[in-house]
Every structure is written in structure tokens, then in C-alpha cells.
Amino acid sequence: MSSFEAVKGPTEIHDFALNYGVEFAKDDPSDSISTSSWAVTRGEVVIDSDRVEGDRAIARVSGGTKFHSLHEIQNTVIAASGQRYVRTILIELYNS
């Protein structure tokens, strides 16, 4: 599992994207995302919507409060080949 860090303000709405193209190129260059699911695993942010664009899994995230500054969202991708990838994004909220 890999993790990444990002920041946003409590009133901001952001798209967060994870690119799986590097893994596909190493494991199976013809692979693609079959399914992608997102979950909030820590904190109060909200995943408003999600989509897949090519090798990228994207989540639109809103919410959170400045009083709870660290949030975490997790993406699970199942590739067409059956391989499973899990990545986490840590989101730090700042006062806007």
C-alpha cells in the first residue's frame, strides 16, 4: 500500500487523483482499471463523487473541519488482470 499527502481548506472542494499507469507499465502494460472504490478511513471529509479516466482513479472531496486537521481517504483498484492495488491519501486541513 502506498500513501500520499495533500492539503485543502475545510470549505474547499478538490479532485484527488491517483495514477496507476506506472504499476500497469511494470506489471502488465496492457492492463487497465476494472473497478475503483473510495472510502474515508479517518476524519470527516466527504467523497462527493468518483470516476475513472484512463489509468487514473479520481475522487471529489469536500468537508472536514479545522478542528480535526488530519483526514484519510483510501482507493482500492482491481485491474482487468485481477491484480489489486490499494493507495491512501492523507489530507491535512488548513484554516481558510
Side-chain angles (χ1 to χ4, degrees):
M1 179 168 61
S2 300
S3 17
F4 303 89
E5 294 183 17
V7 295
K8 79 175 229 36
T11 59
E12 296 176 333
I13 300 170
H14 281 280
D15 284 351
F16 293 95
L18 295 172
N19 189 334
Y20 290 88
V22 172
E23 283 84 355
F24 294 161
K26 286 188 304 187
D27 298 335
D28 180 353
S30 65
D31 219 349
S32 61
I33 295 174
S34 179
T35 64
S36 170
S37 61
W38 290 88
V40 176
T41 52
R42 181 183 357 170
E44 305 164 348
V45 293
V46 175
I47 297 170
D48 297 318
S49 62
D50 66 275
R51 65 190 186 279
V52 172
E53 292 180 1
D55 291 339
R56 297 183 325 141
I58 303 164
R60 178 158 289 176
V61 178
S62 65
T65 66
K66 57 188 169 191
F67 305 110
H68 191 334
S69 63
L70 193 59
H71 305 263
E72 184 178 273
I73 59 175
Q74 186 175 75
N75 179 237
T76 302
V77 159
I78 305 297
S81 65
Q83 294 194 81
R84 181 175 182 258
Y85 301 91
V86 179
R87 289 188 179 170
T88 300
I89 300 175
L90 299 172
I91 302 170
E92 182 177 351
L93 274 110
Y94 63 87
N95 295 335
S96 59

